[in-house]
Amino acid sequence: MRPLALAMKRVSEIPMTDTRFDPSKADGRWQRAWDKAGTFTADSNNEKPKSYVLEMFPYPSGRIHMGHVRNYTMGDVLARYKKMRGFEVLHPMGWDAFGMPAENAAMEKKVHPGAWTRSNIEAMKAQLKRIGFALDWTREFATCDPEYYGHEQALFLDMYEAGLIDRRSSEVNWDPVDMTVLANEQVIDGKGWRSGAEVEKRKLDQWFLKITDFAEDLLDGLGDLKDWPDKVKLMQENWIGKSQGLEFGFSLSNGGTLPVYTTRPDTIFGASFVAVAADHPVAQALAGEPEVAAFIEECKKGGTTAAALETAEKLGYRTSITAKHPFTGEPMPLLIANFVLMDYGTGAIMGVPGHDQRDFEFATKYELPITRVIARDFSEASAPMGDEAEPGDGVCVNSDFLDGMSVEDGKAEIIKRAEDGGWGEGTTVWRLRDWGISRQRYWGTPIPFIHCDACGIVPVPKDQLPVTLPEDVDFETPGNPLERHATWKHCACPKCGGEARRETDTLDTFTNSSWYFLRFASQPDDAPFDADEIAKWMPVEHYIGGIEHAILHLLYARFWTRALAHIGKFDVKEPFASLFTQGMVTHETYRLGERGWLSPSEVRIDGEKAFALEGGEEVERGRVIKMSKSKKNVVDPDNIIEQYGADAVRWFMLSDSPPERDLPWSEAGIEGCYRFVQRLWRLFDQFDDSAAGEDKPLARRAHQAIVAVAEDIEALSFNKAVARIYELTAATEKAAPSESRNFAIRALLHMVSPMMPHLAEEAHAKMGADALLADAAWPEHDKAMLVEDEVTIAVQHKGKLRDTLTAPKGASKEDLEAMALASEKVQRSLDGAEVRKVIVVPDRLVNIVT
RNA sequence: GCGGGUGUGGCGGAAUGGUAGACGCCGGGGACUUAAAAUCCCCUGAUCCUAUAGAUCGUGUGGGUUCGAGUCCCACCACCCGCACCA
């Protein structure tokens, strides 16, 4: 730790004086004042326009980290700014409290997941309070509260009623370490998103939410999300994966029909084989033959990781079956192929080697015919194929009646003929799958269903909700504690009264976060939410969180909102009007041979080099990457706040880096922020009631800053707002006392109040105010003061700057040209050359062309 | 492979087609002080130079459009992210 940091500790013990702001006293004082006054309690019963500012609620892992601080500081500035602008602001906080880590803790530390979660929430809430966030804590809840998940169960039953929920046997992603099913979205590179274990395929009875019913709607809706990052919209679009093509049947030589799906019906005359997935019924029917069985086994072995797929060789097995081409009637071989996926399309394809790279590689290997049916130009119909497929655009060739047609027309023509002939139809295929939500875990929302031998699957009657989790569970053995609990699952069938069993699966935690924003907006006891309140607050005006939720959470939340609107709960389609994905907080890494990674607090920086505090050896300074426990490059917010106060940390979070990019944490940076807190404190102290007189240039800068900072905040360009505040601060410091200077000081006080609320309140009170600054309005600006009366004109010759001159605003082109030519520097540059043309941009520049 | 993003001083980054490097950090020099901390002031892209002046170069690379390009267009390079045997 650097000497300055040590000095800070002493500083905090020095009483607050005119020249020193003491956050250790002020922070708590104002946090209590806001609490007591209910300053940030949202009230829907007034005429003010409403604004809902929301940050993605945290998982209560134990400690707040810098990423949270950055995320919530941005939201906090927006919430406080909106309030200053006359909006009634809803800015709530809660806890995404179900999930695996609680169960892992239960296994490792022998604590109940609920107790572990509750104590984490308590600790993290205290941390958030210390940062002074303008949150409406009256609406706080945790998703593990029975009231919350009980309402979730009710919504689940409503969705079941409406046919949006399915129970079916399905091949699922099974995580052998967490011993649970995972959604496709939770499988990353073939591994479980939490455990990192290689995911296996299993067939299980599962509950599904029919998100695919909304595929088209979810895709179309992206078009309306004007204030979402294009990147996120694209990721969702790709994930939903709409593709249009033709589904048709091949007549097989064994008498059957094989449905295939293709997006390129225009290339049908280039088809030279047909291939099915290893687990396709046609392949399975042949599994009696030992050779086929062996091949199918071989196909299953291949890894599913990206690297494995990249290098995986295309394998095929040629069956004795042939398929008849629908137009030429030619028999084509049917193969079993490892690259055909059972769960996309029909699990079978027509192979067109000339115009699909995979088919090309496959055909080359198994010596199947490769014909050109698309060419760049009709005259190139007989051009030989190269050593790659040609998947691009062109015209149809060697294709009978399609010859000469564009790819697009060719597609339409084949689809039309297939439909007219009754052997196929144009279809849409989606990449998106239904959302499997069953989890064989304890710490989640119990699925409110009962299995009865006589009545089948029976929903739990709503008056029996919530179905709560049993408290007495053990985590000694792997698997689902609900399943092996002695009594919990045994119950009476609500229909026949006979003996029955509760569903022991719980809901995927992503269901908890799919509607929490609705519960924040209204919290009646007897219903999940109130439609009138929803109408007042929704949609969320600003939603801020990490890019890692671009698909999972954000797609699910959009789906739930649509589904609930679909069943008539309210009239909101999109939950989040604007979305902002903030960058990560990063830090340099330190590594020392055998000792491995060192944390920043174990390292002393000296110029270019770094040394271990313990032992003094030189340490290797590594890349600046996301703060993570494993690399030890973390900085604990609590320690920083204790040293520098909440406002310095908040200011750091907003400074320098644009909010969507990564923010490198540095000791020097936070010290600079602390210095600025103190600098402002001294400036605020110079507010002087007795000062008189006008300082027009300073007043003008203040008015301009009021407008510019507001624009920057609204654009979430906090780094620019910060820079402008620095500029106005410097100008104000230099100015002599005047009424204008007092105005500038007050403007600064108000402008920094969303960012450094404690300092601002303290200074505000010291200036004699008895109301809270948090309730004050954004400063007014005078339009007349925005306009300069003198401007600086750049004078260029040969495209280079030669001189600058000061001219009255609005000076005529002729005057500017004359002034420019009169410049000694310009004349020297011209050196007698003939002026051919002079370009004058009023109030900006003069460019002389010779 | 497909899709997207980024590239500007030592560092983070500013810049409606119009003075590139605002603002912050680092660094250097100075003032104040017995000394230190804190604070304040000045300098700080590179090169040349006859040095309070001036010139040239400079926003990943190469072209183009323009009176004028970090910004627009074309081609390329590097890095980062997402998806991926999706027919």
Side-chain angles (χ1 to χ4, degrees):
Chain A
M1 200 59 61
R2 297 160 58 108
L4 180 58
L6 292 173
M8 294 299 169
K9 287 225 161 143
R10 276 187 277 119
V11 161
S12 67
E13 285 153 21
I14 298 170
M16 198 155 354
T17 67
D18 287 351
T19 53
R20 177 112 41 207
F21 171 70
D22 180 3
S24 72
K25 302 284 192 306
D27 287 4
R29 170 158 54 241
W30 297 107
Q31 286 157 17
R32 285 189 296 275
W34 298 323
D35 263 354
K36 196 175 158 212
T39 308
F40 305 116
T41 305
D43 177 11
S44 63
N45 297 312
N46 58 36
E47 294 304 306
K48 290 186 191 175
K50 305 288 183 285
S51 175
Y52 187 173
V53 178
L54 183 67
E55 299 97 56
M56 293 178 184
F57 67 162
Y59 176 78
S61 57
R63 308 278 303 163
I64 291 292
H65 55 69
M66 278 297 175
H68 291 126
V69 178
R70 190 176 190 205
N71 188 176
Y72 302 151
T73 299
M74 290 179 193
D76 203 57
V77 170
L78 284 174
R80 286 173 180 269
Y81 171 79
K82 277 284 179 182
K83 183 174 163 65
M84 293 179 89
R85 280 292 160 120
F87 286 82
E88 183 67 26
V89 175
L90 172 56
H91 187 217
M93 183 54 71
W95 309 95
D96 190 12
F98 275 135
M100 281 299 299
E103 289 191 53
N104 291 338
M107 284 179 249
E108 285 164 27
K109 298 174 186 154
K110 316 276 181 233
V111 289
H112 189 273
W116 183 82
T117 304
R118 293 281 164 205
S119 80
N120 286 348
I121 288 175
E122 202 182 325
M124 291 170 78
K125 184 175 177 181
Q127 286 186 293
L128 291 181
K129 289 216 158 198
R130 277 196 285 280
I131 312 172
F133 292 134
L135 292 163
D136 180 355
W137 286 105
T138 66
R139 295 173 190 245
E140 177 195 9
F141 63 81
T143 56
C144 63
D145 297 340
E147 302 81 61
Y148 181 81
Y149 70 72
H151 290 306
E152 186 167 299
Q153 290 166 338
L155 291 173
F156 193 77
L157 292 174
D158 289 338
M159 287 164 92
Y160 178 75
E161 195 93 337
L164 297 177
I165 290 172
D166 229 13
R167 183 175 163 83
R168 56 178 184 254
S169 170
S170 160
E171 187 152 272
V172 296
N173 306 302
W174 178 259
D175 185 321
V177 169
D178 283 349
M179 306 249 305
T180 186
V181 167
L182 298 175
N184 286 338
E185 289 85 339
Q186 293 164 337
V187 180
I188 319 274
D189 286 343
K191 298 195 172 72
W193 70 306
R194 283 210 171 279
S195 70
E198 202 74 39
V199 167
E200 298 168 3
K201 294 280 178 197
R202 281 205 186 176
K203 241 186 164 123
L204 285 176
D205 278 341
Q206 297 288 308
W207 291 93
F208 285 89
L209 279 177
K210 292 198 203 164
I211 190 170
T212 54
D213 284 7
F214 292 81
E216 187 90 62
D217 202 22
L218 286 166
L219 182 66
D220 290 347
L222 292 172
D224 302 328
L225 297 174
K226 300 272 178 281
D227 292 320
W228 276 44
D230 290 340
K231 183 186 171 80
V232 174
K233 285 189 278 189
L234 256 157
M235 282 166 76
Q236 291 210 356
E237 188 181 321
N238 291 338
W239 190 263
I240 294 167
K242 182 178 187 174
S243 107
Q244 279 169 306
L246 171 71
E247 186 176 329
F248 68 100
F250 276 112
S251 303
L252 299 182
S253 58
N254 66 1
T257 303
L258 176 70
V260 300
Y261 170 74
T262 178
T263 55
R264 294 295 301 273
D266 54 302
T267 63
I268 197 164
F269 285 95
S272 63
F273 65 95
V274 171
V276 299
D279 38 0
H280 191 280
V282 169
Q284 294 295 324
L286 298 172
E289 300 172 33
E291 233 181 297
V292 176
F295 180 77
I296 291 173
E297 207 43 48
E298 175 78 23
C299 287
K300 280 189 179 164
K301 270 190 204 159
T304 49
T305 65
L309 290 175
E310 191 100 356
T311 52
E313 204 180 347
K314 306 242 175 312
L315 297 176
Y317 178 86
R318 191 167 185 150
T319 68
S320 55
I321 301 171
T322 59
K324 192 177 144 194
H325 192 285
F327 290 108
T328 67
E330 288 292 315
M332 296 182 291
L334 185 147
L335 296 98
I336 303 167
N338 66 343
F339 70 93
V340 179
L341 305 174
M342 190 55 221
D343 58 358
Y344 185 79
T346 60
I349 60 157
M350 68 169 192
V352 185
H355 307 282
D356 179 284
Q357 187 55 29
R358 290 154 304 170
D359 295 352
F360 185 93
E361 288 169 29
F362 191 72
T364 306
K365 181 165 179 195
Y366 293 99
E367 296 178 337
L368 297 156
I370 301 172
T371 24
R372 171 186 296 281
V373 287
I374 303 290
R376 263 181 310 184
D377 187 277
F378 194 72
S379 62
E380 293 174 21
S382 52
M385 295 298 297
D387 51 8
E388 276 189 341
E390 293 178 18
D393 209 356
V395 292
C396 299
V397 295
N398 307 319
S399 294
D400 196 352
F401 54 86
L402 293 181
D403 281 358
M405 282 189 196
S406 68
V407 163
E408 203 181 321
D409 292 346
K411 282 181 187 175
E413 179 63 25
I414 296 293
I415 290 172
K416 185 175 177 296
R417 290 197 185 216
E419 286 178 349
D420 289 349
W423 50 271
E425 62 176 347
T427 51
T428 302
V429 168
W430 304 88
R431 188 180 171 282
L432 185 70
R433 295 293 126 77
D434 276 336
W435 176 14
I437 35 128
S438 297
R439 296 292 180 273
Q440 293 68 44
R441 304 305 323 171
Y442 166 75
W443 195 232
T445 304
I447 297 176
F449 281 91
I450 287 164
H451 300 272
C452 171
D453 287 338
C455 311
I457 290 172
V458 184
V460 173
K462 278 198 175 173
D463 58 13
Q464 290 177 26
L465 296 181
V467 176
T468 55
L469 292 165
E471 286 291 315
D472 53 329
V473 281
D474 82 88
F475 293 89
E476 295 300 312
T477 35
N480 184 355
L482 291 178
E483 182 64 39
R484 56 171 188 270
H485 189 276
T487 56
W488 187 78
K489 69 176 173 183
H490 302 291
C491 64
C493 170
K495 239 186 195 170
C496 69
E499 262 185 43
R501 300 171 315 283
R502 280 192 192 288
E503 171 66 61
T504 57
D505 285 353
T506 51
L507 290 172
D508 180 5
T509 57
F510 278 100
T511 57
N512 307 138
S513 52
S514 291
W515 70 285
Y516 77 105
F517 42 90
L518 301 170
R519 186 70 186 167
F520 275 147
S522 77
Q523 319 192 319
D525 290 335
D526 56 352
F529 42 73
D530 178 273
D532 290 340
E533 290 293 300
I534 297 294
K536 285 182 187 174
W537 292 113
M538 290 293 288
V540 173
E541 186 182 355
H542 287 287
Y543 194 38
I544 310 177
I547 186 79
E548 67 272 19
H549 293 110
I551 297 171
L552 294 164
H553 161 58
L554 289 167
L555 188 62
Y556 292 150
R558 292 183 63 223
F559 160 60
W560 268 66
T561 305
R562 273 177 156 63
L564 294 174
H566 175 75
I567 59 181
K569 295 284 183 188
F570 46 68
D571 190 24
V572 179
K573 255 190 150 180
E574 290 291 346
F576 314 122
S578 88
L579 171 73
F580 189 83
T581 53
Q582 100 274 6
M584 298 176 295
V585 182
T586 58
H587 197 290
E588 195 173 40
T589 45
Y590 307 103
R591 194 165 196 168
L592 179 57
E594 287 176 1
R595 276 166 67 187
W597 302 103
L598 295 185
S599 78
S601 60
E602 297 172 303
V603 171
R604 176 177 58 88
I605 307 289
D606 188 358
E608 297 284 294
K609 295 182 173 178
F611 301 92
L613 282 181
E614 197 188 318
E617 305 102 308
E618 186 175 347
V619 170
E620 185 192 335
R621 297 179 80 168
R623 292 208 323 161
V624 179
I625 54 172
K626 181 187 182 178
M627 285 189 183
S628 83
K629 279 182 194 161
S630 64
K631 300 284 190 298
K632 285 200 180 173
N633 61 337
V634 286
V635 172
D636 185 71
D638 265 8
N639 296 339
I640 301 293
I641 289 166
E642 202 191 319
Q643 272 179 46
Y644 302 100
D647 290 337
V649 179
R650 294 169 61 110
W651 189 251
F652 186 100
M653 291 293 130
L654 301 165
S655 304
D656 296 347
S657 290
E660 68 279 7
R661 288 208 216 163
D662 289 351
L663 173 68
W665 177 268
S666 74
E667 194 75 18
I670 185 68
E671 281 166 14
C673 292
Y674 178 81
R675 279 199 296 274
F676 187 62
V677 169
Q678 298 300 342
R679 198 173 143 197
L680 271 181
W681 176 250
R682 288 190 299 274
L683 179 63
F684 291 154
D685 192 52
Q686 290 169 20
F687 183 85
D688 178 5
D689 271 324
S690 64
E694 192 186 22
D695 178 344
K696 204 161 182 193
L698 181 66
R700 187 171 276 141
R701 295 191 72 154
H703 284 278
Q704 287 168 344
I706 289 167
V707 174
V709 171
E711 280 173 3
D712 288 336
I713 291 176
E714 282 177 32
L716 278 70
S717 299
F718 304 114
N719 56 322
K720 288 194 239 168
V722 162
R724 290 188 207 282
I725 286 169
Y726 273 118
E727 280 175 310
L728 183 59
T729 300
T732 309
E733 283 169 337
K734 288 193 181 83
S738 66
E739 270 182 71
S740 304
R741 188 170 191 259
N742 285 344
F743 175 81
I745 289 176
R746 278 214 177 267
L748 276 168
L749 178 73
H750 282 76
M751 284 192 282
V752 299
S753 71
M755 305 171 182
M756 305 190 200
H758 310 91
L759 168 76
E761 289 284 7
E762 188 76 30
H764 188 238
K766 197 152 172 284
M767 287 178 195
D770 42 19
L772 285 170
L773 185 57
D775 286 322
W778 188 255
E780 298 282 340
H781 70 273
D782 178 355
K783 265 192 185 155
M785 291 294 281
L786 300 180
V787 189
E788 300 280 356
D789 41 29
E790 275 189 341
V791 288
T792 307
I793 306 289
V795 184
Q796 296 181 335
H797 170 225
K798 289 194 237 167
K800 290 206 173 62
L801 182 73
R802 303 295 163 177
D803 197 7
T804 57
L805 39 97
T806 305
K809 167 120 183 145
S812 71
K813 286 193 173 191
E814 291 73 23
D815 289 352
L816 289 174
E817 183 175 335
M819 285 171 77
L821 289 171
S823 156
E824 200 182 309
K825 288 178 182 174
V826 171
Q827 282 304 326
R828 209 184 307 143
S829 173
L830 284 174
D831 196 23
E834 184 201 348
V835 176
R836 290 193 305 176
K837 197 174 170 188
V838 179
I839 283 139
V840 181
V841 181
D843 297 335
R844 287 220 87 116
L845 64 63
V846 178
N847 190 5
I848 300 161
V849 187
T850 55

